[in-house]
Amino acid sequence: YSPDPAWQSIGRVDLTQPLLRNFGKTVTLSKIHLSEIVRGRAVEDFKQSLNTIVTATEHSYLDLELHWKTLQVKQWLLEQGEQVVKILELRRDYDTGESDYAQAVATVQQRRVDVISQQALIQTTSDQLKTFINTDDYSPDSEVVIQPTGTISANAVSISLRQALLTAIQRRPDLRNLALAINSESINMQVADNARLPQLDFQAQMSLYGLGDSASTGYQEVYDADFINYLVGLTFQIPLGNRAAESQYQSSRLQKMVAIATYKRGVQQATVEVKVALRDIVTNAALMRANRSFRVAQAENLRALKVEEETMMGLTPTFLNLKLQTQNGLATARISEFRSIVNYNKAIASLYEAMGTTLDMRQISINQFGFSE
């Protein structure tokens, strides 16, 4: 036996190419595509969370703005009532009965209770807004009460139902997430369908051998390709019945059908949300006009009473009680007008959320989180 000692070295290159099962671009790249879909769904989930948080923050801010305006109206109402009580107290010895005076005092005390309750409501709403803001300047444990600045206003919007629905289907993160789920199930079904095919693999092998009295000599023969062996063949396999692959394919088909049905249900829900938001916008726009007219009428009524108050005949207890009622009417009209404006703006925010355009309308970008959209 020569050489002795002997060093045998082998270099081998194997190639296996599926021809039936596991063949094709779809199957080969399925894991890559599924990973991309998982990432895309995570991004859409994040966008959906942002849309919800931004809309809830805007609603909370508008509620706080309404509560502050309501407090101002109720404080005005209390001050006006106290003035009436002072007048009745001066006239108790003249023409004011105990029942008239007691009724006016009870009305003022009720207004004072309303002011205190409104102040507590403002503090609660302010704390809720702090949780959404999530900043050290307005931490939830602080006693600072947030007060919105500016006036309550309503800006006109113009959008059709068809345009809103098309935008919702294209832009809503939850619908985009469901569409990605359909794509994922489609890939799984194609892979499961391919798995039903028989296994037929083309195999090729090239081996390089070397033999020498030292390791370097053996590897040198391998490097010089002095001794080469070739092997080419086919491997064929087909399971009897192939029940596992068939059941997996049927399961993937059902999963895709479920994903499609879920997407259709999501579209229906989005349609309802868009229609409700648009209906709320139209309704509150009409309420704004009606409440504005109601407030102007009540203000004119109170102005007329002030004109009569300048005469001695206007200072009767009956007249002063009528004045208290008119003040309540004007305050109610003011609060109703503010509420309709706030509800109008909240409906617009809800429409943006239903359409999936909240981030765009509020100029919020998520590129800073590493996503390139």
Side-chain angles (χ1 to χ4, degrees):
Y1 298 94
S2 179
D4 186 13
W7 294 79
Q8 185 178 13
S9 302
I10 302 175
R12 179 178 298 168
V13 178
D14 292 323
L15 172 64
T16 301
Q17 173 60 51
L19 299 179
L20 292 178
R21 187 189 303 174
N22 298 327
F23 175 79
K25 182 178 179 180
T26 302
V27 178
T28 304
L29 301 178
S30 61
K31 293 184 177 180
I32 297 177
H33 293 160
L34 289 175
S35 298
E36 292 175 349
I37 291 175
V38 170
R39 175 189 176 276
R41 297 189 66 179
V43 173
E44 298 302 330
D45 286 337
F46 183 70
K47 287 182 178 180
Q48 180 66 19
S49 299
L50 281 182
N51 283 339
T52 302
I53 293 174
V54 171
T55 304
T57 303
E58 188 170 357
H59 283 187
S60 180
Y61 178 86
L62 291 171
D63 288 336
L64 182 60
E65 193 174 24
L66 174 61
H67 294 330
W68 271 104
K69 292 296 183 182
T70 302
L71 177 62
Q72 294 175 3
V73 174
K74 290 185 176 181
Q75 287 176 339
W76 169 84
L77 195 61
L78 176 60
E79 294 172 357
Q80 296 297 317
E82 290 175 343
Q83 294 177 7
V84 173
V85 170
K86 290 180 180 180
I87 297 176
L88 288 175
E89 187 174 3
L90 294 174
R91 301 177 63 90
R92 291 183 66 181
D93 298 333
Y94 177 58
D95 58 357
T96 301
E98 289 296 329
S99 60
D100 294 329
Y101 178 75
Q103 182 180 0
V105 171
T107 301
V108 171
Q109 293 302 323
Q110 180 61 48
R111 293 178 180 181
R112 182 172 287 108
V113 170
D114 292 341
V115 169
I116 296 175
S117 300
Q118 191 65 29
Q119 290 173 342
L121 183 59
I122 287 176
Q123 293 176 347
T124 302
T125 309
S126 176
D127 291 338
Q128 293 176 351
L129 182 59
K130 291 177 185 177
T131 60
F132 288 116
I133 296 177
N134 192 23
T135 178
D136 295 335
D137 296 334
Y138 300 101
S139 59
D141 58 347
S142 67
E143 295 299 328
V144 177
V145 179
I146 301 176
Q147 182 175 6
T149 59
T151 59
I152 296 181
S153 60
N155 298 322
V157 294
S158 177
I159 186 171
S160 65
L161 175 60
R162 180 177 181 275
Q163 179 184 358
L165 292 177
L166 292 176
T167 304
I169 293 174
Q170 297 174 358
R171 304 294 300 278
R172 277 181 66 117
D174 56 340
L175 294 183
R176 291 170 60 92
N177 197 333
L178 294 176
L180 290 174
I182 295 177
N183 295 338
S184 177
E185 296 301 333
S186 297
I187 295 175
N188 290 331
M189 190 181 72
Q190 291 176 358
V191 173
D193 185 28
N194 180 269
R196 298 189 300 168
L197 297 175
Q199 182 177 355
L200 178 62
D201 298 340
F202 171 78
Q203 295 180 340
Q205 182 185 95
M206 182 180 67
S207 301
L208 305 175
Y209 292 90
L211 182 65
D213 54 4
S214 63
S216 60
T217 304
Y219 280 112
Q220 184 63 39
E221 291 185 353
V222 172
Y223 179 77
D224 295 337
D226 294 336
F227 304 98
I228 305 177
N229 284 344
Y230 299 97
L231 177 64
V232 177
L234 294 174
T235 300
F236 180 78
Q237 180 184 6
I238 178 171
L240 296 178
N242 205 12
R243 295 182 180 88
E246 290 291 341
S247 63
Q248 183 63 33
Y249 174 70
Q250 295 300 329
S251 176
S252 62
R253 285 189 59 190
L254 293 176
Q255 291 296 331
K256 183 178 179 180
M257 293 173 62
V258 170
I260 294 175
T262 304
Y263 178 80
K264 291 181 179 179
R265 186 167 62 251
V267 172
Q268 293 175 351
Q269 181 64 29
T271 302
V272 172
E273 292 178 3
V274 169
K275 291 182 65 177
V276 169
L278 285 174
R279 190 178 298 115
D280 289 343
I281 291 175
V282 175
T283 300
N284 286 288
L287 286 175
M288 282 191 300
R289 294 188 292 269
N291 286 324
R292 186 179 297 113
S293 300
F294 178 45
R295 188 254 305 166
V296 171
Q298 289 291 347
E300 182 63 23
N301 189 10
L302 184 60
R303 187 194 66 80
L305 290 178
K306 287 183 178 181
V307 173
E308 294 182 11
E309 191 177 3
E310 297 177 357
T311 65
M312 292 299 294
M313 295 180 59
L315 295 180
T316 62
T318 303
F319 172 82
L320 293 176
N321 284 326
L322 177 61
K323 184 178 180 181
L324 288 175
Q325 296 176 6
T326 306
Q327 291 170 357
N328 284 331
L330 178 57
T332 301
R334 286 179 174 176
I335 295 174
S336 298
E337 183 180 5
F338 289 145
R339 181 176 289 108
S340 60
I341 296 175
V342 167
N343 289 337
Y344 174 82
N345 291 327
K346 290 173 67 175
I348 293 177
S350 298
L351 176 62
Y352 291 153
E353 183 184 14
M355 293 169 55
T357 58
T358 299
L359 300 182
D360 294 334
M361 297 304 299
R362 302 306 176 218
Q363 298 181 356
I364 299 175
S365 175
I366 63 173
N367 290 334
Q368 56 180 325
F369 297 98
F371 302 119
S372 56
E373 297 296 331

